[in-house]
Amino acid sequence: MEELEFSRELVKISDKSILQKALKKAGAQGFRVQGFDKNVWKAPVVMVNSSLEKRKRGGKYQCRIILECLAGLEEGNIESELARKWLKNGEERVEAEKKLLETALYREAEENTANVEIEKAISNDSDGKNDKNIEMLSQQKERINKLQKTIQDLRITADNYKKEIETLHKERKKLTRKYEEQQKRNEELTENIEKLKIQIGEYQQQLSLKDEEINYYKQRFEKAPHIVCFSKKKIDIEIFPLHNIDQIKEWKNEFINEIKWKDYQEIWIIESDFSYPEVLSIKKMSNGKVVCARNLKSLIEKVGGVK
């Protein structure tokens, strides 16, 4: 039930004195009824209800003002209780609408009783002496009929609202389930992200150690003695980690001028891989910085290396 609809139905069932007190407070807050600007509390209920949909310029709707004024009355009455509950929203609002319907139904029963009495009075007044009373009773009967129609409309509205609430509850359950599933997936993703962060940290630490190791060997390699080794068999540099080795697998006479002999701190020769004249030529260019070995094993023993 919307605010405007609830306030209208509440005004319809409100006791006249209670409504007048609320309207006096509302008038001080700018509540207006056409033709009753200075004495809004004297306005008929129908006109009060028709003015509830109006809105103060830049302010509240008049239906909200009347609800707040009813809720603010200190006396213990059903009108104030219903207004206070409805303004609290949630379950309190549902309870207020239900109580409003019950109150309307109770008043309907009272009006039905009065209606029966009116019918009896009209039927008994056959001589036409109480025309004024009959006219008044007819007006009351018409008013009761209008109230009965209002109550019927209220019942229909309440039923529709109940169905709407049930639909919203079902939708809420679906959304809650969906939210919980999504929350679970988010938690799993967050957990996986944290694991990946830990792995990345470990990999970065390992890379840092590798970088340190590479820099260490790079510096050692740059400072290691620069060697040229004459050997037809491939020299594994892992055997000689403390040397910067260039390998030459054959001898050519033009090497005498092509090789920058002064750049090498030592010259190694595997004698079994070369002829005696070739060995003599290499030694001649070494300027005394030559290491001759019969084979690789002998070379390791002379210069030091990993067997």
Side-chain angles (χ1 to χ4, degrees):
M1 189 179 292
E2 298 295 332
E3 185 174 77
L4 176 61
E5 183 182 0
F6 182 85
S7 61
R8 280 178 171 170
E9 296 303 330
L10 183 57
V11 166
K12 287 178 183 178
I13 69 161
S14 293
D15 181 80
K16 184 176 181 180
S17 62
I18 298 297
L19 182 59
Q20 285 182 342
K21 289 179 182 179
L23 285 171
K24 285 181 180 180
K25 293 181 67 176
Q29 297 182 28
F31 189 99
R32 292 292 178 266
V33 178
Q34 187 175 2
F36 295 87
D37 290 346
K38 295 182 180 180
N39 49 4
V40 67
W41 62 90
K42 292 184 179 180
V45 172
V46 174
M47 295 188 70
V48 171
N49 265 346
S50 65
S51 68
L52 292 178
E53 64 184 7
K54 296 179 181 178
R55 184 179 185 180
K56 291 175 61 181
R57 181 175 297 178
K60 301 177 182 177
Y61 283 97
Q62 294 204 146
C63 57
R64 169 62 63 139
I65 295 174
I66 194 65
L67 284 176
E68 290 178 348
C69 290
L70 280 168
L73 296 178
E74 296 181 359
E75 301 99 305
N77 56 74
I78 186 65
E79 293 87 347
S80 298
E81 179 187 348
L82 291 175
R84 281 193 288 268
K85 284 182 176 293
W86 198 89
L87 289 172
K88 289 180 180 179
N89 211 332
E91 295 297 329
E92 296 268 15
R93 177 169 292 185
V94 175
E95 185 180 343
E97 292 175 357
K98 182 180 179 182
K99 192 71 176 288
L100 176 64
L101 177 60
E102 291 175 351
T103 303
L105 292 174
Y106 176 76
R107 302 248 171 120
E108 177 188 9
E110 290 183 335
E111 297 292 351
N112 284 339
T113 302
N115 194 22
V116 172
E117 292 177 356
I118 291 171
E119 293 287 353
K120 288 180 180 179
I122 293 174
S123 61
N124 291 334
D125 190 21
S126 57
D127 56 3
K129 294 180 180 179
N130 296 319
D131 291 341
K132 291 184 178 179
N133 290 336
I134 293 173
E135 183 179 355
M136 182 184 68
L137 291 174
S138 297
Q139 290 175 353
Q140 289 181 353
K141 179 182 178 182
E142 183 179 354
R143 181 172 177 272
I144 290 170
N145 289 335
K146 289 181 179 179
L147 286 174
Q148 288 176 336
K149 185 178 184 305
T150 299
I151 291 169
Q152 183 64 28
D153 292 341
L154 185 59
R155 281 176 177 169
I156 294 171
T157 301
D159 289 340
N160 292 336
Y161 189 60
K162 184 178 179 182
K163 292 176 182 177
E164 185 178 348
I165 290 175
E166 290 174 353
T167 302
L168 289 173
H169 279 318
K170 291 179 181 178
E171 188 64 26
R172 181 182 178 183
K173 287 181 180 179
K174 290 180 182 178
L175 290 174
T176 301
R177 272 198 309 271
K178 188 175 180 180
Y179 171 78
E180 290 173 350
E181 291 172 358
Q182 188 63 47
Q183 192 71 9
K184 186 177 180 180
R185 284 197 292 269
N186 290 342
E187 289 174 358
E188 291 174 352
L189 287 174
T190 301
E191 186 178 348
N192 290 334
I193 289 171
E194 292 301 320
K195 289 179 180 178
L196 287 173
K197 284 181 179 179
I198 294 172
Q199 290 179 356
I200 290 171
E202 292 174 351
Y203 290 147
Q204 287 177 336
Q205 188 175 5
Q206 291 174 9
L207 285 173
S208 179
L209 292 173
K210 288 294 181 183
D211 287 340
E212 291 178 4
E213 185 178 351
I214 289 170
N215 289 331
Y216 170 76
Y217 283 108
K218 183 178 178 181
Q219 291 173 4
R220 288 192 63 179
F221 184 77
E222 289 173 350
K223 294 178 181 179
H226 198 184
I227 308 297
V228 59
C229 180
F230 289 87
S231 172
K232 292 185 177 181
K233 298 180 182 65
K234 180 174 175 59
I235 299 298
D236 188 355
I237 60 174
E238 297 294 332
I239 298 175
F240 305 100
L242 303 179
H243 298 82
N244 182 2
I245 301 173
D246 293 336
Q247 183 179 353
I248 298 176
K249 295 185 177 181
E250 61 180 350
W251 172 255
K252 295 179 182 180
N253 288 330
E254 52 265 32
F255 284 171
I256 293 174
N257 296 321
E258 291 179 359
I259 296 174
K260 297 179 180 181
W261 300 94
K262 292 182 180 181
D263 291 346
Y264 297 105
Q265 293 174 259
E266 289 184 351
I267 297 172
W268 298 348
I269 306 171
I270 303 296
E271 294 178 313
S272 60
D273 290 344
F274 300 92
S275 65
Y276 181 71
E278 288 174 338
V279 172
L280 287 178
S281 297
I282 297 169
K283 284 182 178 181
K284 184 178 179 181
M285 302 308 300
S286 66
N287 295 321
K289 298 184 293 182
V290 66
V291 177
C292 293
R294 183 67 185 166
N295 51 41
L296 181 60
K297 181 178 180 182
S298 176
L299 180 64
I300 293 172
E301 291 173 353
K302 287 185 177 185
V303 300
V306 181
K307 296 181 180 180

